[in-house]
Amino acid sequence: MSSSPTRRILYIAGGALLFLLLVGGLGRWLGWWGVAPEGLAVEVEAAERRTVTQVVTAFGRTQPEVEVTISPDVSGEIIALPVQEGDRVQQGDLLARINPDAYQAQVEQMRASLSGARARLEQRRADMLQAERIYERQKELYAREVISEADYLDAQTAYKVAQSNLKAARFEVQNAEARLEEAQKQLGKTSIQAPMSGTISRLNVEAGERVVGTSQMAGTEMMRIARLSQMEVVVDVNENDVVNVALRDTASISVDAYPEESLEGVVMEIANSARVSGEGTQEQVTNFPVKIRVTSPHNLQFPAMDARPTAGLQSPEGAPPATDAPTLRPGMSSTVDIFTQTVKDAVAVPIQAVTVRDFNKLEGRKDAAADDATEDLRKVVFVAQADTVEMVEVETGIADDTHIVIASGLEPGARVVTGPYSAISRELSPGAAITVTNEGAPGAGPDAALASNE
């Protein structure tokens, strides 16, 4: 029986000891005692002078700078098609021939009509000469008072009518000649020649098909001729970025088919009218087409053909490329980085170091008369000072993929807080305690800016 109270006392003492240990460990962990309070863990990097180039990235497809769509002027059946897709042609080479029978018959019909009009013209000329002789005779007799005035006037009227009929016959001949000329032109259009030298980049028809001429409606697109020796990339640039793009800006082009190649380009054309997709919906997007000429060597197996001394059709199949330069074909997907503006020797910090604070909500800065609903948003960076931070208001300039230019408010060498994002965007405030976690990392020390310049 005596052991029972002793055991109870031991249990109580052990529980009290355990409680004290738990409280002591929790208090130490929470910083109540035993350790000095630590600040917010952050990363810093020194502001430095560097060259910053603003880049606009856009996506598009390759296409020839010059590509002509061939559509027939007349309708009919294709009876000859001596070209294939990929063939090279010279200006004036035969591309296709449409059945000319109907147009030849029309030419013959117009010739017959012209012959009839000319015959009627000769008849009207003879009638006019006869009416003129009668009129002159009646005029002389009337002057001698041999005939009445009525007979004289009848002869005069008949003469004028004969003159008018002769003039109408001349117009009829001119009309027949014009219709014959038009019929001959239509007949000539049954043979379609290449309007320029180049390569058949697309062929949409086969021999035996019937095509519709452009004189009746939009017409059938038969083929396309392109100068593949000079390609360009057409990209869609967002309306917010196109204001930064200018003619002659340089660009870096990455074609999906050649992931290891980086081609150079230059902006040659910026559209004035936008392409709007999803108009009237929440997904509405407004882009402006921009054309970038590829200036790096490419498509050397498709030389410019205007200076070739001989005509005729030749296929490039089996012909090896002149070099290892890439072969760009119409429609290849591409990514383009347009270098729009460059600032040299500018103070720059990592993009993530710049954040926005509402100065009306900062402790000690809010005016008592200020409206709570009013926001005073300004761009700031946090500069590390020993174990605290100072909030510095800055003005920014252009930015590249990693850094942004600080136009004013910051000097080179200042140790700005670059992470973590949650600390920069929400947690840091002026005078907040910090602990720098990357003090020995390159660019984190106070001499980083000097070292980078050296």
Side-chain angles (χ1 to χ4, degrees), residues 49-252:
R49 292 192 177 275
R50 60 190 297 143
T51 298
V52 178
T53 300
Q54 183 173 258
V55 178
V56 172
T57 301
F59 305 91
R61 297 185 180 276
T62 58
Q63 68 177 30
E65 277 197 1
V66 180
E67 186 173 41
V68 177
T69 300
I70 306 298
S71 297
D73 292 318
V74 296
S75 302
E77 177 187 354
I78 299 175
I79 61 173
L81 190 66
V83 296
Q84 296 180 353
E85 189 166 326
D87 286 351
R88 303 185 191 184
V89 296
Q90 280 286 345
Q91 182 177 1
D93 288 345
L94 178 66
L95 301 178
R97 181 174 285 113
I98 297 173
N99 193 333
D101 293 348
Y103 300 98
Q104 183 64 50
Q106 189 174 9
V107 168
E108 297 301 328
Q109 182 181 357
M110 292 301 102
R111 284 176 178 167
S113 177
L114 176 59
S115 298
R118 287 173 175 171
R120 286 188 291 274
L121 174 63
E122 294 302 322
Q123 182 179 355
R124 295 292 181 259
R125 182 177 287 110
D127 292 343
M128 192 275 296
L129 292 176
Q130 183 179 3
E132 183 181 13
R133 287 195 299 270
I134 294 174
Y135 168 68
E136 293 296 337
R137 180 180 176 186
Q138 295 295 83
K139 181 180 180 180
E140 182 181 351
L141 293 175
Y142 177 70
R144 291 159 46 186
E145 298 183 354
V146 175
I147 61 174
S148 65
E149 182 180 2
D151 291 338
Y152 166 72
L153 293 177
D154 288 343
Q156 186 182 48
T157 301
Y159 176 52
K160 291 181 178 180
V161 169
Q163 286 180 318
S164 299
N165 290 338
L166 178 61
K167 185 180 295 185
R170 290 196 181 101
F171 290 147
E172 185 178 353
V173 170
Q174 293 176 359
N175 185 32
E177 289 174 344
R179 286 185 293 171
L180 174 60
E181 183 179 358
E182 177 63 22
Q184 290 173 333
K185 287 182 179 180
Q186 295 292 96
L187 177 61
K189 291 176 180 178
T190 58
S191 295
I192 302 173
Q193 285 84 26
M196 70 174 194
S197 301
T199 302
I200 305 296
S201 59
R202 180 182 298 181
L203 184 63
N204 300 324
V205 295
E206 297 287 346
E209 288 188 28
R210 295 191 64 85
V211 293
V212 178
T214 55
S215 59
Q216 300 179 11
M217 53 184 69
T220 303
E221 180 181 324
M222 299 177 62
M223 64 188 75
R224 293 185 183 183
I225 300 178
R227 290 178 181 167
L228 299 181
S229 57
Q230 182 59 64
M231 302 292 287
E232 64 184 8
V233 181
V234 181
V235 297
D236 287 331
V237 178
N238 187 270
E239 59 181 328
N240 297 323
D241 294 328
V242 74
V243 294
N244 298 320
V245 180
L247 294 177
R248 300 297 176 181
D249 281 348
T250 57
S252 175

Side-chain angles (χ1 to χ4, degrees), residues 266-310:
V266 60
V267 176
M268 299 301 296
E269 184 177 324
I270 304 173
N272 290 318
S273 300
R275 292 177 182 170
V276 181
S277 59
E279 188 171 2
T281 67
Q282 293 182 348
E283 290 76 26
Q284 177 173 323
V285 178
T286 303
N287 292 323
F288 287 81
V290 176
K291 294 182 179 180
I292 295 95
R293 171 181 290 175
V294 181
T295 56
S296 296
H298 64 283
N299 290 14
L300 298 183
Q301 65 271 45
F302 299 109
M305 301 183 62
D306 300 281
R308 284 176 56 193
T310 59

Side-chain angles (χ1 to χ4, degrees), residues 191-426:
S191 295
I192 302 173
Q193 285 84 26
M196 70 174 194
S197 301
T199 302
I200 305 296
S201 59
R202 180 182 298 181
L203 184 63
N204 300 324
V205 295
E206 297 287 346
E209 288 188 28
R210 295 191 64 85
V211 293
V212 178
T214 55
S215 59
Q216 300 179 11
M217 53 184 69
T220 303
E221 180 181 324
M222 299 177 62
M223 64 188 75
R224 293 185 183 183
I225 300 178
R227 290 178 181 167
L228 299 181
S229 57
Q230 182 59 64
M231 302 292 287
E232 64 184 8
V233 181
V234 181
V235 297
D236 287 331
V237 178
N238 187 270
E239 59 181 328
N240 297 323
D241 294 328
V242 74
V243 294
N244 298 320
V245 180
L247 294 177
R248 300 297 176 181
D249 281 348
T250 57
S252 175
I253 303 170
S254 176
V255 182
D256 291 357
Y258 298 94
E260 305 300 326
E261 298 271 357
S262 180
L263 306 178
E264 297 178 353
V266 60
V267 176
M268 299 301 296
E269 184 177 324
I270 304 173
N272 290 318
S273 300
R275 292 177 182 170
V276 181
S277 59
E279 188 171 2
T281 67
Q282 293 182 348
E283 290 76 26
Q284 177 173 323
V285 178
T286 303
N287 292 323
F288 287 81
V290 176
K291 294 182 179 180
I292 295 95
R293 171 181 290 175
V294 181
T295 56
S296 296
H298 64 283
N299 290 14
L300 298 183
Q301 65 271 45
F302 299 109
M305 301 183 62
D306 300 281
R308 284 176 56 193
T310 59
L313 302 176
Q314 296 185 8
S315 174
E317 296 180 1
T323 69
D324 293 332
T327 300
L328 304 183
R329 301 185 182 278
M332 285 184 171
S333 300
S334 305
T335 302
V336 177
D337 292 330
I338 305 173
F339 308 117
T340 60
Q341 187 178 355
T342 298
V343 177
K344 297 182 178 180
D345 196 30
V347 179
V349 298
I351 293 177
Q352 68 272 16
V354 180
T355 187
V356 175
R357 286 290 190 271
D358 184 358
F359 274 51
N360 280 344
K361 293 183 179 180
L362 294 176
E363 183 178 357
R365 295 184 179 232
K366 182 175 179 181
D367 187 6
D371 187 356
D372 290 341
T374 302
E375 290 184 337
D376 183 11
L377 300 179
R378 305 183 193 179
K379 294 180 180 179
V380 298
V381 296
F382 290 95
V383 179
Q385 302 286 353
D387 57 353
T388 61
V389 293
E390 176 189 359
M391 188 178 72
V392 178
E393 182 181 355
V394 295
E395 293 183 5
T396 60
I398 66 172
D400 58 15
D401 293 338
T402 59
H403 287 73
I404 185 169
V405 171
I406 303 299
S408 65
L410 200 64
E411 295 296 328
R415 297 163 63 236
V416 298
V417 178
T418 59
Y421 172 77
S422 58
I424 298 174
S425 61
R426 296 187 303 273

